[in-house]
Amino acid sequence: MKINCNPAWAQTIEEAIEIQKQLRHLVIVENNLGEVRYVAGVDVGFEDNYTMTQAAVAVLSFPQLQLLESAIAQMPTTFPYIPGFLSFREIPAILKALEKLNLVPDLILCDGQGIAHPRRFGIACHLGVLIDVPTIGVAKSLLVGKHEELSPEKGSWQPLRDRGDVVGVVLRTRTNVNPVYVSVGHRISLSTAIDYVLRCTTKYRLPETTRWADKLASGKK
């Protein structure tokens, strides 16, 4: 996959905030995606006491959800772990992993937030804007917002609201199992994002894209 961006990476929190504020206006929160034949998941793990970042990408067929290709890239960790700034820690290695792909994903599901973020620019937004590919944030935990109580059935969801805005949904992907937090990353609407997350989820809580990427990033068998 050819990566045409060469972004400047922040060295300080102040620089990171400024980059997020500048780029968030480029996020497209409406459907701007073609036929989806390949869905991908990206995830990151760390080695050597967090000094090395290992990013993984898994490309699956859609709607069959069969693994077609995967790639792993390692590089030194260059940004500390700070909630709300995940992209500056993880995306540099993710871009290197994406560059190794022969197949170009039509849609990428990120293990993190999209616009459900204090500055409306989580890792899914940042990655989507940089490489101009539709992305969805599918997070395991809540970063911002509040929601009403969720019914226990698979497919149920409630809007996630923050400071008067609907920034995503809390979505039950498996009956009686903890939900996930879905938000727009780039070039997709929230309703379409919900649909794709459910269609990429089989018998587990997390989408198959995330499960494959997590296995690869962490070295699991």
Side-chain angles (χ1 to χ4, degrees):
M1 179 178 178
K2 186 172 178 59
I3 303 297
N4 294 315
C5 64
N6 186 24
W9 294 109
Q11 301 300 312
T12 66
I13 295 298
E14 292 74 19
E15 290 176 358
I17 290 173
E18 188 59 31
I19 290 171
Q20 290 176 335
K21 288 180 177 178
Q22 289 176 359
L23 296 182
R24 69 185 179 190
H25 302 294
L26 301 178
V27 173
I28 297 171
V29 296
E30 299 174 348
N31 288 329
N32 184 8
L33 69 170
E35 179 185 3
V36 176
R37 298 177 299 159
Y38 307 122
V39 291
V42 294
D43 199 9
V44 168
F46 296 91
E47 298 184 348
D48 298 333
N49 197 27
Y50 294 92
T51 61
M52 290 296 296
T53 303
Q54 177 163 291
V57 55
V59 183
L60 281 61
S61 60
F62 185 84
Q64 299 87 0
L65 303 179
Q66 298 298 310
L67 181 66
L68 300 178
E69 187 181 10
S70 63
I72 294 174
Q74 284 189 333
M75 63 180 295
T77 305
T78 58
F79 202 85
Y81 172 75
I82 305 171
F85 299 95
L86 191 67
S87 60
F88 297 95
R89 184 174 171 88
E90 298 190 355
I91 287 183
I94 290 173
L95 293 178
K96 289 186 177 294
L98 288 169
E99 281 186 315
K100 296 183 177 184
L101 294 177
N102 293 308
L103 293 173
V104 177
D106 301 302
L107 176 64
I108 298 176
L109 279 65
C110 298
D111 182 26
Q113 311 289 348
I115 65 170
H117 180 275
R119 287 165 296 283
R120 307 296 186 254
F121 198 73
I123 188 171
C125 300
H126 204 157
L127 181 63
V129 166
L130 287 179
I131 64 174
D132 195 28
V133 170
T135 53
I136 303 171
V138 187
K140 296 185 285 288
S141 58
L142 181 68
L143 181 61
V144 297
K146 296 181 179 180
H147 59 86
E148 299 295 329
E149 185 174 349
L150 191 63
S151 63
E153 295 82 19
K154 175 178 179 177
S156 62
W157 58 269
Q158 287 286 345
L160 184 62
R161 291 184 168 89
D162 180 55
R163 291 174 287 167
D165 298 328
V166 174
V167 295
V169 299
V170 53
L171 173 67
R172 190 86 68 187
T173 54
R174 188 179 179 193
T175 299
N176 291 323
V177 171
N178 287 340
V180 296
Y181 300 87
V182 176
S183 56
V184 168
H186 185 50
R187 290 178 51 184
I188 195 166
S189 70
L190 182 56
S191 61
T192 302
I194 295 168
D195 179 58
Y196 274 107
V197 171
L198 287 172
R199 293 173 70 184
C200 288
T201 306
T202 56
K203 57 183 179 179
Y204 299 99
R205 176 194 180 204
L206 298 177
E208 290 300 292
T209 44
T210 302
R211 293 184 66 250
W212 272 108
D214 174 69
K215 286 181 185 179
L216 293 162
S218 60
K220 298 175 185 175
K221 300 296 185 183

